[in-house]
Amino acid sequence: MRAALFNGNDLSVVNRPLRAIAVDEVLIKVAACGVCGTDIKIVAGHSAATPPVVLGHEFCGTILQVGKNVRNLSEDDFVAVDPNIFCGQCRFCRKGKINLCENLAALGVDIDGGFAEYCIVPAGRCYRIPAVVNPYHAALLEPLSCALYGFQKAEVKPGDAIVIVGGGMIGLLMLKLCRMSPAKHIIVVEPDEKRHRLLKKSGADRVINPQKDNVENEIIDITRGGAEIVIECVGSAAAVRQSYNYVKRGGRLVIFGVSPADQTWNVAPYDIFRKDLTITASFLNPFTFQTAVGLLTNGKIDFGDVEIKAFPLDEIQEAFNNQIQRRSLKTVIDLRL
Ligand SMILES: [Zn+2]
Ligand SMILES: [Zn+2]
């Protein structure tokens, strides 16, 4: 089969043999697979992976073959895949913290993933979805499931003011989730003004351009002293530092963006103590994928307004460039092209 293989140095489309499926696995004909910031970091050497491996962890497709012990799934089912495979046997799994599994392996990172014509997936990681769902939207279920866990960690209460720092794809997902909560104000901080209209349409009460406005003053003014909840969706120490300044006394900072591993952030412990702050983060998507599927298939979350650019597998380099240069909000590889 044709597949985009990361060999430890670079990514190229190759012919990759396909093994036989095990009794508890299914063979999927991939329809679409999203290009994620993590894919770009892996190829750049800034995020861990287990090469040689086919990348792509945000995907959906049609089941071609099921292992003989598989129940609840059949040939021709359309499924989205949760790529994170936990062992169920380590001390973290046994306490329900499957995202912290000591033997965690992810499709598209450690095991061959979705930038390929076909992918072999454990049946338990497949979520059946109606065939009418747009495959590009089904490919967004994985990032939505991660955003859902971050949203849970934010513990939004009625009347809270929320600041979302970063209005890219992840910030937009977070905004759509926060909009369903009883928050009072939702403010998004985003420099790219081309994105402001969509952010407002998706429920932002206010979108602030940090290159034009004094964000801190505006937030303190609108929220009377800071937001109860600030969710950082950029992925840099500088963005975390700014986000911290927007939190009200007694408030909560959620670090959702993935900062480079070598960046640090200086903070005075006394300030955290005196303001009684909660600082938390969000890693992967423990037990949130089913909820993400429900929100999409019931129309509670709509991706119809998200600008998604699709590329065939052979143009994966171009697709990566599209994502790196932020030429569209989301980039997908369409295996049907
Ligand atoms: Zn991802
Ligand atoms: Zn485990």
Side-chain angles (χ1 to χ4, degrees), residues 12-23:
S12 51
V13 178
V14 299
N15 271 314
R16 180 99 164 141
L18 195 61
R19 65 172 171 84
I21 60 169
V23 291

Side-chain angles (χ1 to χ4, degrees), residues 229-272:
I229 294 164
V230 180
I231 308 174
E232 187 272 334
C233 296
V234 175
S236 76
V240 173
R241 188 180 310 119
Q242 286 158 18
S243 301
Y244 176 81
N245 292 332
Y246 310 150
V247 187
K248 195 185 221 131
R249 296 170 65 213
R252 176 176 282 258
L253 170 63
V254 181
I255 299 171
F256 189 83
V258 185
S259 294
D262 58 352
Q263 290 187 0
T264 57
W265 160 46
N266 280 323
V267 62
Y270 179 80
D271 195 49
I272 300 172

Side-chain angles (χ1 to χ4, degrees), residues 36 38 57-58 142:
C36 172
T38 302
H57 59 268
E58 303 176 354
E142 193 274 343

Side-chain angles (χ1 to χ4, degrees), residues 191-309:
D192 185 349
E193 295 210 338
K194 291 195 296 296
R195 292 180 174 171
H196 284 202
R197 205 172 61 88
L198 174 60
L199 291 164
K200 283 183 188 145
K201 193 170 155 248
S202 299
D205 297 301
R206 184 71 187 274
V207 185
I208 303 177
N209 180 347
Q211 290 168 350
K212 276 191 184 165
D213 306 309
N214 185 322
V215 183
E216 198 170 331
N217 285 354
E218 291 225 14
I219 288 172
I220 287 177
D221 193 38
I222 297 166
T223 60
R224 299 176 62 213
E228 279 82 6
I229 294 164
V230 180
I231 308 174
E232 187 272 334
C233 296
V234 175
S236 76
V240 173
R241 188 180 310 119
Q242 286 158 18
S243 301
Y244 176 81
N245 292 332
Y246 310 150
V247 187
K248 195 185 221 131
R249 296 170 65 213
R252 176 176 282 258
L253 170 63
V254 181
I255 299 171
F256 189 83
V258 185
S259 294
D262 58 352
Q263 290 187 0
T264 57
W265 160 46
N266 280 323
V267 62
Y270 179 80
D271 195 49
I272 300 172
F273 155 74
R274 194 69 181 80
K275 290 182 181 165
D276 195 8
L277 300 181
T278 303
I279 298 174
T280 186
S282 168
F283 180 59
L284 303 180
N285 57 351
F287 301 114
T288 53
F289 209 97
Q290 187 67 60
T291 304
V293 170
L295 291 174
L296 179 65
T297 56
N298 290 299
K300 297 292 179 192
I301 291 272
D302 178 29
F303 295 131
D305 51 4
V306 180
E307 184 203 356
I308 301 172
K309 190 149 171 44

Side-chain angles (χ1 to χ4, degrees), residues 176-190:
K176 286 174 182 278
L177 292 171
C178 289
R179 195 65 276 174
M180 289 191 287
S181 78
K184 183 174 60 183
H185 292 296
I186 305 176
I187 302 162
V188 181
V189 180
E190 167 58 42

